[in-house]
Amino acid sequence: MSEQRTSYGVQATYSCHENYTLIGNENRTCELEGWSGKQPECLVDWCPEPPTIVGGTVKVNDRRAGSTAIYECEQGYVLVGEPVSSCGLGGEWSGKSPSCRFVDCGSPARPDHGVVMLLNLTTTAGSMVRFECDDDYWLEGASELYCTTEGKWSGDVPICELVTCDTPTVPPGSFVVGYDYNVHSKITYNCDPGHVLRGNSVLECLDTGEWNTEAPFCEYIDCGAITPIPHGIHKYTMNTTFVGSEVTFSCSQAHKLSGVPKRVCLESGIWSDMSPKCEEIRCTEPILAPHSLLSVTGNDRMYGRTLIRTSESIQNSAQTYRIGALAKYRCERGYKMVGEALVTCEDNGQWSGTVPECIYVECGPLSNIDRGKVTLATNATYYGAAALYECDINFKLDGVSRRLCTEDGTWSHETPKCIEITCEEPELSENLIMEAGERSIGSLAKFRCQRGRTLFGNDTRVCQKNGKWTGKSPICKPVDCGRPLPIENGRVIVVNETTLYGGSAEYHCVPGFNRIGQYLRKCTEDGAWSGDEPRCELVATEAQESSGLGTGIAIGATVIIALLIMIGLVFIHRNKARPVKNTENVQAAETKDERSAAVMSYSTLEANNRMHLDNGPPVTFNTFHGAGRGLSNGNRTIGRENIYDQIPNEQLYDAPYEMRTNDEVYEPEPTTANMITINGISVR
């Protein structure tokens, strides 16, 4: 202590005994908060002997604080821990004592196709090992390894690989064939088409990894184009001219090849053999059969002319013929040919087919025919002769006019006949009638038309020697009466607007006028309307009408009652109404607002019967349709009663709308003004 007190400001000094060392502040001062710093310590500064280790040694230079101890392991051991330890204050060695661990790398793996050798016969740390390969294999990797302190060999185990040679060079124009490039393997060099190999074609891979010789090379060789041959063509098999190429020869038509058909390009650069030649193919003179003639066409030596050969001329001829020439055989008169008449010079230099034969044929004489004669054209009856037939006047041949003697010894066709010349029945137009006899030459045919038709053209025709009728057939046209002339104070109605034969015309008078004459006229076959033309006259005065009014009313009432009774009886028995008057037309007329007079006609229209005579059943238009049915106004009905059916065609008829019963006729009389007359009935 600096003073003998422990109050503020006093300083304390620390010191240690021998073999101890002060650790901390040597001096401390008493301050307001207490002594400054921390309490120091006195630690021992001398260490005991460091601990020993198994399999190793320790070296110490001193044991005082700060001294070091070094640990080392024996052979085959590896130090585990820190190799150096320091003596620290307090008398302790720093850290933990290391240890020596025994190290063995083990036997290394033996490579395939190789061996392993331990140089120092151990596998502990620091040991050496060497690797070697079998024959034809080489080592890939380090040949020697050592065992490290980590217990591992210093590298990977090497491998033994089969010896291989480098990829061989391939010169231009060549290619190599081989399975692989391993030791003792062989490869073969080949050249592309047109090349020749120079050098060894086979190379072998040695155990040194090299080829036994240098690679060969391929030399290109071309023989060039062939000179064309006359009348021939040549063709390169592969369209090439280099070495090994082939060229074939052929000749044009009518020529054959003389020489080799093929040449080859050799390694010397020239074509083998000599080019062939093309020689023309020709046929010799054809054989001539007895009784035959021979004509040859198409021989170029004679400029296309036809050569005629006989048995005499052919013996002294050395003529040859080109391919395609035609030889035609013909027989002498009376001889027929057996075999093919036409032969051709073929491309083999021979004539086609066989030589035909000529055999004599006789058909015999012919007899004359009735009403005619036969003439031999050449006055002969052998093969090929002709017989001509002709007939007497007004007769013609039925059959052929010319017969030939055929090769089988008979005359061709059947013997003809002479028949009388007649005219065929002429074509007749519609409604035309012909009267003719046998229609022989000079016969007369007469023509006429059916009733109601007029003939246009000649009414007779004559059959001529050539079997044709003179002139042309006439035609029939319907008779046309023309439209009838109009009447004064009346109207003419042409039924169905037809004025042809059978047509009808109705005559009507205006109110206040009575018709004098027939009501209906027909077109007759002479082209005139039947009967005389009616006229319309003014009716009687009112004074005359009033004088007979009472009598007329009584008579009219009596007639009406009688007619009603008759109609009722007929209705009961026939269940069909028979109208006394055209009440339907009356009812229809009452609906009219017009007060002035008018004239109408609802007569029967026989359209088909009058426009087309005899062409089918009549179609009628009737205004009477029975009780209880409406007014038809021209509706078409078939099979109805026709009031005109009671009129004979040749008679005149004056009251078309009357109903005939027991020879009594009812016909209404004209009435006063402001009435309408319908079908002869006056209504208000």
Side-chain angles (χ1 to χ4, degrees), residues 188-466:
T188 303
Y189 278 82
N190 297 274
C191 290
D192 294 336
H195 295 75
V196 175
L197 188 70
R198 306 300 186 188
N200 293 328
S201 61
V202 179
L203 273 66
E204 182 179 1
C205 181
L206 303 177
D207 55 6
T208 59
E210 297 180 352
W211 297 101
N212 64 333
T213 184
E214 294 291 333
F217 66 94
C218 292
E219 180 183 0
Y220 182 74
I221 296 178
D222 194 334
C223 290
I226 290 286
T227 302
I229 59 175
H231 306 290
I233 57 175
H234 61 275
K235 181 179 180 181
Y236 300 102
T237 305
M238 299 179 293
N239 293 326
T240 57
T241 58
F242 49 65
V243 64
S245 300
E246 294 182 356
V247 59
T248 57
F249 296 87
S250 60
C251 294
S252 58
Q253 188 176 7
H255 290 78
K256 62 181 179 180
L257 199 66
S258 176
V260 295
K262 180 176 67 175
R263 297 180 70 186
V264 181
C265 180
L266 305 176
E267 292 185 6
S268 59
I270 60 175
W271 294 97
S272 63
D273 302 310
M274 297 294 292
S275 292
K277 297 179 180 180
C278 287
E279 298 177 351
E280 185 181 11
I281 300 174
R282 301 191 68 84
C283 293
T284 59
E285 196 76 48
I287 300 175
L288 187 64
H291 304 289
S292 66
L293 300 176
L294 180 66
S295 59
V296 183
T297 305
N299 191 24
D300 56 354
R301 302 289 175 86
M302 300 306 296
Y303 306 102
R305 291 184 300 175
T306 299
L307 303 179
I308 305 299
R309 290 285 184 262
T310 61
S311 57
E312 292 80 11
S313 63
I314 202 169
Q315 294 176 355
N316 302 323
S317 174
Q319 181 70 44
T320 59
Y321 303 91
R322 66 180 180 87
I323 293 176
L326 299 177
K328 185 176 182 180
Y329 289 91
R330 290 181 297 169
C331 291
E332 297 175 355
R333 291 179 180 272
Y335 290 83
K336 73 171 182 179
M337 183 169 293
V338 178
E340 187 65 34
L342 191 66
V343 295
T344 306
C345 179
E346 298 180 335
D347 55 6
N348 57 2
Q350 301 295 326
W351 293 98
S352 62
T354 58
V355 179
E357 296 182 61
C358 290
I359 301 175
Y360 184 76
V361 177
E362 173 65 39
C363 288
L366 291 168
S367 58
N368 285 328
I369 57 175
D370 293 339
R371 299 183 181 86
K373 64 178 181 178
V374 59
T375 303
L376 295 175
T378 58
N379 201 25
T381 57
Y382 49 66
Y383 175 66
L388 305 179
Y389 289 84
E390 56 182 329
C391 293
D392 298 340
I393 189 169
N394 293 342
F395 287 85
K396 64 178 180 180
L397 280 174
D398 181 14
V400 297
S401 62
R402 184 171 180 265
R403 299 174 70 189
L404 297 176
C405 179
T406 60
E407 61 182 15
D408 58 0
T410 61
W411 292 97
S412 63
H413 304 98
E414 296 291 336
T415 303
K417 298 179 182 179
C418 289
I419 59 176
E420 186 179 5
I421 298 175
T422 58
C423 292
E424 296 181 356
E425 187 172 348
E427 294 183 1
L428 300 180
S429 60
E430 186 179 5
N431 301 310
L432 182 64
I433 301 173
M434 183 189 75
E435 296 177 356
E438 297 179 354
R439 302 195 304 276
S440 59
I441 295 177
S443 298
L444 186 66
K446 297 181 179 181
F447 298 90
R448 61 184 178 86
C449 292
Q450 293 182 358
R451 188 175 184 180
R453 300 293 191 276
T454 301
L455 187 71
F456 286 85
N458 297 326
D459 59 352
T460 59
R461 298 178 71 185
V462 180
C463 180
Q464 304 178 101
K465 292 183 178 181
N466 60 358

Side-chain angles (χ1 to χ4, degrees), residues 449-658:
C449 292
Q450 293 182 358
R451 188 175 184 180
R453 300 293 191 276
T454 301
L455 187 71
F456 286 85
N458 297 326
D459 59 352
T460 59
R461 298 178 71 185
V462 180
C463 180
Q464 304 178 101
K465 292 183 178 181
N466 60 358
K468 304 292 183 181
W469 293 99
T470 59
K472 296 183 179 180
S473 293
I475 59 174
C476 293
K477 294 184 179 180
V479 174
D480 193 342
C481 294
R483 297 192 68 85
L485 298 175
I487 61 174
E488 188 177 1
N489 300 318
R491 180 183 180 187
V492 180
I493 298 176
V494 178
V495 179
N496 292 336
E497 288 298 321
T498 176
T499 60
L500 302 179
Y501 171 74
S504 301
E506 299 176 354
Y507 288 82
H508 298 270
C509 294
V510 298
F513 288 83
N514 284 335
R515 183 182 65 255
I516 304 300
Q518 61 190 40
Y519 167 77
L520 186 71
R521 300 177 72 191
K522 287 193 173 184
C523 180
T524 61
E525 62 181 62
D526 58 2
W529 292 98
S530 63
D532 297 328
E533 184 180 64
R535 66 183 184 276
C536 293
E537 294 184 354
L538 188 65
V539 298
T541 61
E542 292 184 4
Q544 294 174 342
E545 293 178 359
S546 299
S547 62
L549 180 61
T551 304
I553 293 175
I555 295 174
T558 303
V559 172
I560 292 174
I561 293 173
L563 291 176
L564 290 175
I565 294 173
M566 292 174 63
I567 291 173
L569 293 175
V570 173
F571 179 82
I572 293 173
H573 290 286
R574 300 182 60 185
N575 196 20
K576 181 177 181 182
R578 294 285 184 175
V580 176
K581 298 180 180 180
N582 196 349
T583 57
E584 293 87 347
N585 292 340
V586 173
Q587 294 173 4
E590 290 177 347
T591 61
K592 299 289 185 176
D593 293 333
E594 299 180 1
R595 306 300 296 173
S596 58
V599 178
M600 301 182 184
S601 176
Y602 293 92
S603 63
T604 302
L605 306 181
E606 301 180 16
N608 295 335
N609 198 28
R610 295 179 180 179
M611 295 181 66
H612 307 284
L613 297 180
D614 303 327
N615 288 337
V619 180
T620 63
F621 298 80
N622 200 331
T623 58
F624 296 100
H625 298 282
R629 304 187 68 174
L631 185 63
S632 67
N633 289 330
N635 292 331
R636 187 169 184 172
T637 62
I638 300 177
R640 298 283 187 179
E641 180 183 1
N642 187 353
I643 63 175
Y644 291 132
D645 292 342
Q646 305 175 17
I647 306 174
N649 290 335
E650 302 300 327
Q651 297 179 3
L652 304 179
Y653 184 53
D654 188 52
Y657 296 109
E658 66 183 2

